[in-house]
Protein backbone atom coordinates (compact mmCIF):
# COMPACT_ATOMS: atom_id res chain seq x y z
CA UNK A 1 0.00 0.00 0.00
CA UNK A 2 2.87 2.37 0.82
CA UNK A 3 4.38 1.80 -2.63
CA UNK A 4 1.08 2.63 -4.29
CA UNK A 5 0.57 5.71 -2.12
CA UNK A 6 4.02 7.15 -2.88
CA UNK A 7 3.72 6.48 -6.60
CA UNK A 8 0.16 7.81 -6.60
CA UNK A 9 1.28 11.05 -4.95
CA UNK A 10 4.06 11.45 -7.51
CA UNK A 11 1.69 10.92 -10.44
CA UNK A 12 -0.99 13.10 -8.89
CA UNK A 13 1.59 15.87 -8.68
CA UNK A 14 2.45 15.34 -12.35
CA UNK A 15 -1.17 15.26 -13.49
CA UNK A 16 -2.67 18.10 -11.49
CA UNK A 17 -1.59 21.29 -13.18
CA UNK A 18 -2.84 24.42 -14.89
CA UNK A 19 -5.99 23.16 -16.59
CA UNK A 20 -6.95 21.19 -13.49
CA UNK A 21 -7.00 24.43 -11.50
CA UNK A 22 -8.74 26.85 -13.86
CA UNK A 23 -11.20 24.64 -15.78
CA UNK A 24 -13.32 23.32 -12.85
CA UNK A 25 -14.20 26.78 -11.43
CA UNK A 26 -15.06 27.99 -14.94
CA UNK A 27 -17.24 24.93 -15.52
CA UNK A 28 -18.93 25.36 -12.14
CA UNK A 29 -19.77 28.96 -13.01
CA UNK A 30 -21.04 28.17 -16.50
CA UNK A 31 -23.11 25.15 -15.45
CA UNK A 32 -25.27 27.16 -13.01
CA UNK A 33 -28.21 24.93 -11.98
CA UNK A 34 -26.87 21.97 -13.98
CA UNK A 35 -23.86 21.67 -11.69
CA UNK A 36 -23.83 17.92 -11.09
CA UNK A 37 -24.28 16.75 -14.72
CA UNK A 38 -21.43 19.08 -15.73
CA UNK A 39 -19.12 17.92 -12.93
CA UNK A 40 -19.88 14.26 -13.59
CA UNK A 41 -19.00 14.77 -17.27
CA UNK A 42 -15.77 16.46 -16.22
CA UNK A 43 -14.85 13.59 -13.90
CA UNK A 44 -15.70 10.92 -16.50
CA UNK A 45 -13.15 12.32 -18.96
CA UNK A 46 -10.77 14.16 -16.63
CA UNK A 47 -10.51 11.27 -14.17
CA UNK A 48 -12.00 8.18 -15.82
CA UNK A 49 -10.17 8.40 -19.15
CA UNK A 50 -6.95 9.57 -17.53
CA UNK A 51 -6.77 6.90 -14.83
CA UNK A 52 -7.97 4.17 -17.18
CA UNK A 53 -5.26 5.11 -19.68
CA UNK A 54 -2.67 5.22 -16.92
CA UNK A 55 -3.55 1.77 -15.57
CA UNK A 56 -3.66 0.18 -19.02
CA UNK A 57 -0.28 1.66 -19.89
CA UNK A 58 1.31 0.26 -16.73
CA UNK A 59 -0.14 -3.24 -17.20
CA UNK A 60 0.63 -3.69 -20.92
CA UNK A 61 4.11 -5.10 -21.46
CA UNK A 62 5.77 -2.64 -23.83
CA UNK A 63 3.23 0.11 -23.29
CA UNK A 64 1.11 1.95 -25.82
CA UNK A 65 3.79 2.14 -28.49
CA UNK A 66 4.02 -1.62 -28.74
CA UNK A 67 0.25 -1.91 -28.99
CA UNK A 68 0.08 0.73 -31.72
CA UNK A 69 3.00 -0.91 -33.54
CA UNK A 70 1.25 -4.28 -33.61
CA UNK A 71 -2.36 -3.22 -34.16
CA UNK A 72 -1.81 -0.37 -36.66
CA UNK A 73 1.71 0.28 -37.96
CA UNK A 74 5.08 1.31 -36.48
CA UNK A 75 5.27 4.47 -38.63
CA UNK A 76 1.81 5.59 -37.50
CA UNK A 77 2.68 4.70 -33.93
CA UNK A 78 5.83 6.81 -33.88
CA UNK A 79 4.25 9.77 -35.72
CA UNK A 80 1.19 9.79 -33.47
CA UNK A 81 3.20 9.57 -30.26
CA UNK A 82 5.60 12.31 -31.38
CA UNK A 83 2.62 14.61 -32.03
CA UNK A 84 1.08 13.65 -28.70
CA UNK A 85 4.24 14.20 -26.69
CA UNK A 86 4.86 17.57 -28.34
CA UNK A 87 1.25 18.61 -27.62
CA UNK A 88 1.32 17.65 -23.95
CA UNK A 89 4.88 18.87 -23.70
CA UNK A 90 6.75 21.94 -24.93
CA UNK A 91 4.14 23.40 -27.29
CA UNK A 92 0.96 23.43 -25.17
CA UNK A 93 0.83 21.93 -21.68
CA UNK A 94 4.27 22.92 -20.37
CA UNK A 95 4.01 26.62 -21.30
CA UNK A 96 0.38 26.69 -20.11
CA UNK A 97 1.41 25.66 -16.61
CA UNK A 98 3.96 28.47 -16.48
CA UNK A 99 1.58 31.16 -17.73
CA UNK A 100 -1.30 30.08 -15.46
CA UNK A 101 0.93 30.16 -12.39
CA UNK A 102 2.16 33.61 -13.43
CA UNK A 103 -1.27 35.08 -14.20
CA UNK A 104 -2.90 33.82 -11.01
CA UNK A 105 -0.10 33.73 -8.49
CA UNK A 106 2.58 36.23 -9.42
CA UNK A 107 1.21 38.95 -11.73
CA UNK A 108 -0.97 40.57 -9.01
CA UNK A 109 2.21 41.39 -7.07
CA UNK A 110 3.84 43.13 -10.02
CA UNK A 111 3.17 46.40 -11.86
CA UNK A 112 1.87 46.01 -15.40
CA UNK A 113 4.95 45.13 -17.41
CA UNK A 114 5.71 42.91 -20.39
CA UNK A 115 8.99 41.90 -18.79
CA UNK A 116 7.26 40.38 -15.74
CA UNK A 117 6.23 37.16 -17.52
CA UNK A 118 9.66 36.86 -19.15
CA UNK A 119 11.55 37.12 -15.86
CA UNK A 120 9.14 34.82 -14.03
CA UNK A 121 9.23 32.20 -16.80
CA UNK A 122 13.03 32.20 -16.76
CA UNK A 123 13.10 31.48 -13.01
CA UNK A 124 10.21 29.00 -13.20
CA UNK A 125 11.79 26.93 -15.97
CA UNK A 126 15.21 27.03 -14.31
CA UNK A 127 13.74 25.39 -11.19
CA UNK A 128 11.70 22.91 -13.25
CA UNK A 129 14.78 21.96 -15.26
CA UNK A 130 16.82 21.43 -12.09
CA UNK A 131 14.21 19.01 -10.69
CA UNK A 132 13.75 17.20 -14.02
CA UNK A 133 17.52 16.97 -14.54
CA UNK A 134 17.80 15.10 -11.23
CA UNK A 135 15.03 12.64 -12.07
CA UNK A 136 16.27 10.00 -9.60
CA UNK A 137 15.03 12.15 -6.71
CA UNK A 138 11.52 12.83 -8.09
CA UNK A 139 9.80 10.42 -5.70
CA UNK A 140 11.17 12.37 -2.73
CA UNK A 141 11.02 15.95 -4.04
CA UNK A 142 7.58 15.75 -5.64
CA UNK A 143 5.83 12.66 -4.25
CA UNK A 144 6.73 13.21 -0.60
CA UNK A 145 7.03 17.01 -0.38
CA UNK A 146 5.53 19.19 -3.12
CA UNK A 147 2.37 17.21 -3.91
CA UNK A 148 1.10 17.02 -0.30
CA UNK A 149 1.78 20.77 0.07
CA UNK A 150 -0.22 21.95 -2.95
CA UNK A 151 -3.00 19.38 -2.48
CA UNK A 152 -3.40 20.48 1.13
CA UNK A 153 -3.55 24.15 0.15
CA UNK A 154 -6.19 23.52 -2.53
CA UNK A 155 -8.21 21.46 -0.05
CA UNK A 156 -8.08 24.31 2.49
CA UNK A 157 -9.29 26.75 -0.19
CA UNK A 158 -12.26 24.65 -1.32
CA UNK A 159 -13.35 23.61 2.19
CA UNK A 160 -13.22 27.13 3.62
CA UNK A 161 -14.84 28.41 0.42
CA UNK A 162 -17.67 25.89 0.72
CA UNK A 163 -18.53 27.17 4.19
CA UNK A 164 -18.21 30.80 3.12
CA UNK A 165 -20.02 30.74 -0.23
CA UNK A 166 -22.05 27.53 -0.02
CA UNK A 167 -25.35 29.31 0.58
CA UNK A 168 -24.91 31.70 -2.34
CA UNK A 169 -27.34 31.11 -5.20
CA UNK A 170 -25.45 30.23 -8.41
CA UNK A 171 -25.55 32.90 -11.11
CA UNK A 172 -27.24 31.71 -14.29
CA UNK A 173 -24.69 33.51 -16.47
CA UNK A 174 -26.90 33.30 -19.54
CA UNK A 175 -27.15 29.51 -19.23
CA UNK A 176 -30.84 29.36 -18.27
CA UNK A 177 -31.57 26.99 -21.17
CA UNK A 178 -28.70 24.63 -20.43
CA UNK A 179 -29.94 21.03 -20.29
CA UNK A 180 -28.45 18.23 -18.20
CA UNK A 181 -27.25 16.44 -21.36
CA UNK A 182 -25.55 19.55 -22.73
CA UNK A 183 -24.02 20.30 -19.34
CA UNK A 184 -22.62 16.76 -19.19
CA UNK A 185 -21.18 17.17 -22.70
CA UNK A 186 -19.60 20.50 -21.83
CA UNK A 187 -18.11 18.97 -18.71
CA UNK A 188 -16.76 16.02 -20.68
CA UNK A 189 -15.00 18.30 -23.18
CA UNK A 190 -13.57 20.50 -20.42
CA UNK A 191 -12.28 17.44 -18.57
CA UNK A 192 -10.56 16.29 -21.76
CA UNK A 193 -9.04 19.75 -22.23
CA UNK A 194 -7.06 19.31 -19.01
CA UNK A 195 -4.85 17.09 -21.23
CA UNK A 196 -4.77 14.36 -18.57
CA UNK A 197 -6.14 11.64 -20.85
CA UNK A 198 -3.30 12.34 -23.28
CA UNK A 199 -0.70 12.91 -20.59
CA UNK A 200 -1.57 9.54 -19.05
CA UNK A 201 0.07 7.85 -22.06
CA UNK A 202 3.34 9.52 -21.11
CA UNK A 203 2.92 9.27 -17.35
CA UNK A 204 2.23 5.52 -17.54
CA UNK A 205 5.86 5.11 -18.61
CA UNK A 206 7.00 7.22 -15.64
CA UNK A 207 4.81 5.07 -13.38
CA UNK A 208 6.44 1.87 -14.64
CA UNK A 209 9.93 3.31 -14.20
CA UNK A 210 9.08 4.51 -10.69
CA UNK A 211 7.61 1.17 -9.67
CA UNK A 212 10.83 -0.51 -10.80
CA UNK A 213 12.51 1.15 -7.81
CA UNK A 214 10.43 -1.07 -5.52
CA UNK A 215 10.89 -4.80 -5.14
CA UNK A 216 7.75 -6.88 -5.69
CA UNK A 217 7.45 -10.43 -4.48
CA UNK A 218 4.98 -11.38 -7.21
CA UNK A 219 3.02 -10.12 -10.21
CA UNK A 220 -0.06 -10.05 -8.02
CA UNK A 221 1.59 -7.59 -5.65
CA UNK A 222 2.63 -5.43 -8.62
CA UNK A 223 -0.94 -5.36 -10.01
CA UNK A 224 -2.34 -4.62 -6.56
CA UNK A 225 0.05 -1.68 -6.24
CA UNK A 226 -0.99 -0.37 -9.65
CA UNK A 227 -4.63 -0.48 -8.58
CA UNK A 228 -3.82 1.43 -5.40
CA UNK A 229 -2.04 4.04 -7.54
CA UNK A 230 -5.23 4.41 -9.58
CA UNK A 231 -7.39 4.71 -6.47
CA UNK A 232 -5.15 7.35 -4.85
CA UNK A 233 -5.05 9.55 -7.96
CA UNK A 234 -8.75 9.08 -8.80
CA UNK A 235 -9.94 10.04 -5.30
CA UNK A 236 -7.58 13.01 -5.14
CA UNK A 237 -8.73 14.27 -8.54
CA UNK A 238 -12.45 13.85 -7.87
CA UNK A 239 -12.43 15.55 -4.47
CA UNK A 240 -10.52 18.60 -5.69
CA UNK A 241 -12.50 18.85 -8.95
CA UNK A 242 -15.82 18.87 -7.13
CA UNK A 243 -14.53 21.40 -4.62
CA UNK A 244 -13.11 23.77 -7.24
CA UNK A 245 -16.23 23.51 -9.41
CA UNK A 246 -18.44 24.17 -6.37
CA UNK A 247 -16.38 27.27 -5.62
CA UNK A 248 -16.92 28.56 -9.16
CA UNK A 249 -20.61 27.65 -9.01
CA UNK A 250 -21.30 29.66 -5.85
CA UNK A 251 -18.77 32.49 -5.94
CA UNK A 252 -20.28 35.80 -7.05
CA UNK A 253 -18.86 36.58 -10.48
CA UNK A 254 -20.11 39.81 -12.02
CA UNK A 255 -21.72 39.08 -15.40
CA UNK A 256 -19.88 41.96 -17.02
CA UNK A 257 -16.54 40.49 -15.99
CA UNK A 258 -17.54 37.02 -17.16
CA UNK A 259 -18.33 38.39 -20.62
CA UNK A 260 -14.92 40.05 -20.89
CA UNK A 261 -13.06 38.24 -23.66
CA UNK A 262 -9.75 38.82 -21.94
CA UNK A 263 -10.90 37.44 -18.58
CA UNK A 264 -10.33 33.83 -17.58
CA UNK A 265 -13.22 33.06 -15.22
CA UNK A 266 -11.38 30.24 -13.47
CA UNK A 267 -8.40 32.45 -12.70
CA UNK A 268 -10.71 35.23 -11.53
CA UNK A 269 -12.63 32.94 -9.16
CA UNK A 270 -9.45 31.53 -7.60
CA UNK A 271 -7.91 34.97 -7.15
CA UNK A 272 -10.92 36.80 -5.75
CA UNK A 273 -12.08 33.90 -3.57
CA UNK A 274 -8.63 33.66 -1.97
CA UNK A 275 -8.61 37.38 -1.25
CA UNK A 276 -12.11 37.29 0.22
CA UNK A 277 -11.40 34.23 2.35
CA UNK A 278 -7.91 35.05 3.63
CA UNK A 279 -7.65 38.83 3.29
CA UNK A 280 -4.22 40.32 2.60
CA UNK A 281 -2.67 36.89 3.09
CA UNK A 282 -4.94 35.46 0.39
CA UNK A 283 -2.84 36.40 -2.62
CA UNK A 284 0.33 34.97 -1.09
CA UNK A 285 -1.58 31.79 -0.20
CA UNK A 286 -2.83 31.50 -3.76
CA UNK A 287 0.61 32.23 -5.25
CA UNK A 288 2.29 29.41 -3.32
CA UNK A 289 -0.53 26.98 -4.13
CA UNK A 290 -0.64 27.72 -7.86
CA UNK A 291 3.10 27.88 -8.48
CA UNK A 292 3.79 24.55 -6.75
CA UNK A 293 0.79 22.91 -8.45
CA UNK A 294 1.93 23.95 -11.91
CA UNK A 295 5.63 23.36 -11.27
CA UNK A 296 5.17 19.65 -10.45
CA UNK A 297 3.28 19.13 -13.71
CA UNK A 298 5.94 20.94 -15.71
CA UNK A 299 8.63 18.72 -14.20
CA UNK A 300 6.64 15.57 -14.96
CA UNK A 301 6.08 16.60 -18.57
CA UNK A 302 9.73 17.50 -19.15
CA UNK A 303 10.79 14.11 -17.78
CA UNK A 304 8.18 12.22 -19.83
CA UNK A 305 8.93 13.93 -23.15
CA UNK A 306 12.72 13.72 -22.69
CA UNK A 307 12.55 10.00 -21.81
CA UNK A 308 10.37 9.30 -24.84
CA UNK A 309 12.74 11.12 -27.18
CA UNK A 310 15.79 9.44 -25.66
CA UNK A 311 14.23 6.00 -26.08
CA UNK A 312 13.18 6.51 -29.69
CA UNK A 313 16.01 8.78 -30.85
CA UNK A 314 19.02 7.65 -28.75
CA UNK A 315 21.50 9.80 -30.68
CA UNK A 316 21.15 12.38 -27.91
CA UNK A 317 20.96 11.85 -24.15
CA UNK A 318 18.07 12.45 -21.77
CA UNK A 319 19.79 15.58 -20.44
CA UNK A 320 20.07 17.09 -23.92
CA UNK A 321 16.39 16.44 -24.67
CA UNK A 322 15.35 17.78 -21.26
CA UNK A 323 17.27 20.98 -22.01
CA UNK A 324 15.66 21.41 -25.45
CA UNK A 325 12.14 20.70 -24.15
CA UNK A 326 12.62 23.23 -21.35
CA UNK A 327 13.88 25.94 -23.70
CA UNK A 328 10.99 25.44 -26.15
CA UNK A 329 8.48 25.51 -23.32
CA UNK A 330 10.02 28.73 -22.05
CA UNK A 331 9.81 30.32 -25.49
CA UNK A 332 6.15 29.42 -26.03
CA UNK A 333 5.24 30.52 -22.49
CA UNK A 334 6.31 34.09 -23.28
CA UNK A 335 3.37 34.32 -25.73
CA UNK A 336 0.90 34.46 -22.81
CA UNK A 337 -1.93 32.26 -21.49
CA UNK A 338 -4.80 33.33 -23.75
CA UNK A 339 -2.70 32.90 -26.91
CA UNK A 340 -1.61 29.40 -25.86
CA UNK A 341 -5.17 28.28 -25.10
CA UNK A 342 -6.45 29.79 -28.35
CA UNK A 343 -4.13 27.88 -30.68
CA UNK A 344 -3.99 24.67 -28.63
CA UNK A 345 -7.68 23.78 -28.50
CA UNK A 346 -8.16 23.09 -32.26
CA UNK A 347 -5.15 20.76 -32.24
CA UNK A 348 -6.43 18.88 -29.19
CA UNK A 349 -9.88 18.43 -30.74
CA UNK A 350 -8.24 16.76 -33.75
Amino acid sequence: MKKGLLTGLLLFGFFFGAGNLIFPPTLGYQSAEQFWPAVIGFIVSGVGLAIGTLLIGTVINGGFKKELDEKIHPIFSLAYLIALYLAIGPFFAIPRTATVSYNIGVAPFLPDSKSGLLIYAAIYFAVAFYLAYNRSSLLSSIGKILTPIFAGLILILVVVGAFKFGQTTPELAGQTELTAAKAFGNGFIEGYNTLDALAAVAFSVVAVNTLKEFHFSSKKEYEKTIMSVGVVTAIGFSVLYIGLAFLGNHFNVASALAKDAELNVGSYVLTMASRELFGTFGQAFLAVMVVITCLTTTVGLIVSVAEFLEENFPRFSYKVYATVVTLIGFGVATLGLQTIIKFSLPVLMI
Side-chain angles (χ1 to χ4, degrees):
M1 183 61 185
K2 182 180 179 181
K3 299 172 184 177
L5 178 62
L6 288 175
T7 307
L9 286 172
L10 174 66
L11 293 172
F12 182 78
F14 283 174
F15 272 117
F16 206 95
N20 309 82
L21 272 177
I22 62 177
F23 290 158
T26 303
L27 180 69
Y29 170 74
Q30 293 174 341
S31 62
E33 295 178 338
Q34 298 293 347
F35 174 78
W36 283 110
V39 171
I40 291 172
F42 192 95
I43 290 175
V44 167
S45 61
V47 180
L49 287 180
I51 302 304
T53 303
L54 176 70
L55 296 179
I56 291 171
T58 55
V59 171
I60 295 174
N61 185 22
F64 286 101
K65 187 176 187 307
K66 181 182 178 183
E67 289 293 298
L68 290 170
D69 286 348
E70 295 177 352
K71 292 182 170 60
I72 304 179
H73 193 278
I75 294 179
F76 171 85
S77 171
L78 184 61
Y80 176 78
L81 289 175
I82 288 174
L84 185 149
Y85 273 86
L86 291 179
I88 65 171
F91 289 112
F92 299 150
I94 287 177
R96 188 175 72 179
T97 56
T99 52
V100 165
S101 61
Y102 172 76
N103 283 10
I104 300 177
V106 178
F109 290 107
L110 304 174
D112 292 336
S113 172
K114 293 183 179 180
S115 62
L117 175 59
L118 181 65
I119 296 171
Y120 170 77
I123 298 172
Y124 177 93
F125 279 103
V127 175
F129 176 74
Y130 172 78
L131 292 173
Y133 194 82
N134 299 284
R135 52 178 168 170
S136 60
S137 61
L138 289 177
L139 197 60
S140 297
S141 60
I142 293 180
K144 294 181 180 180
I145 300 175
L146 296 180
T147 297
I149 290 175
F150 83 71
L153 292 175
I154 297 173
L155 193 60
I156 291 171
L157 176 65
V158 298
V159 170
V160 176
F163 282 104
K164 173 74 174 180
F165 309 115
Q167 302 304 316
T168 305
T169 302
E171 292 188 30
L172 297 182
Q175 301 286 348
T176 54
E177 299 180 359
L178 190 67
T179 64
K182 187 174 181 180
F184 177 88
N186 290 345
F188 188 91
I189 294 297
E190 289 301 298
Y192 172 74
N193 285 341
T194 63
L195 301 182
D196 287 340
L198 298 178
V201 175
F203 290 155
S204 64
V205 178
V206 178
V208 171
N209 292 336
T210 301
L211 290 170
K212 287 179 181 178
E213 297 181 16
F214 302 111
H215 299 288
F216 296 98
S217 58
S218 64
K219 183 179 179 181
K220 183 177 180 180
E221 183 190 5
Y222 175 76
E223 293 176 347
K224 185 178 179 181
T225 301
I226 290 174
M227 291 305 299
S228 64
V229 169
V231 170
V232 169
T233 50
I235 292 176
F237 272 131
S238 300
V239 169
L240 295 187
Y241 282 159
I242 293 172
L244 288 168
F246 186 84
L247 188 65
N249 189 250
H250 289 268
F251 186 76
N252 183 25
V253 180
S255 298
L257 290 174
K259 294 176 182 178
D260 184 353
E262 297 299 318
L263 178 74
N264 185 287
V265 175
S267 300
Y268 177 82
V269 168
L270 291 173
T271 301
M272 300 310 295
S274 296
R275 291 179 183 177
E276 199 165 323
L277 291 172
F278 306 116
T280 54
F281 173 70
Q283 189 58 52
F285 172 92
L286 182 66
V288 174
M289 181 188 79
V290 173
V291 171
I292 295 177
T293 300
C294 292
L295 180 66
T296 56
T297 298
T298 298
V299 174
L301 290 171
I302 292 173
V303 171
S304 300
V305 176
E307 287 185 345
F308 169 79
L309 294 173
E310 180 189 36
E311 180 180 348
N312 291 277
F313 305 97
R315 181 178 178 181
F316 299 103
S317 68
Y318 165 83
K319 294 178 180 179
V320 171
Y321 286 121
T323 302
V324 172
V325 170
T326 302
L327 290 175
I328 294 175
F330 167 72
V332 177
T334 59
L335 298 176
L337 176 60
Q338 293 303 108
T339 302
I340 294 169
I341 292 177
K342 183 178 180 180
F343 73 69
S344 69
L345 292 184
V347 177
L348 299 177
M349 290 301 98
I350 293 174

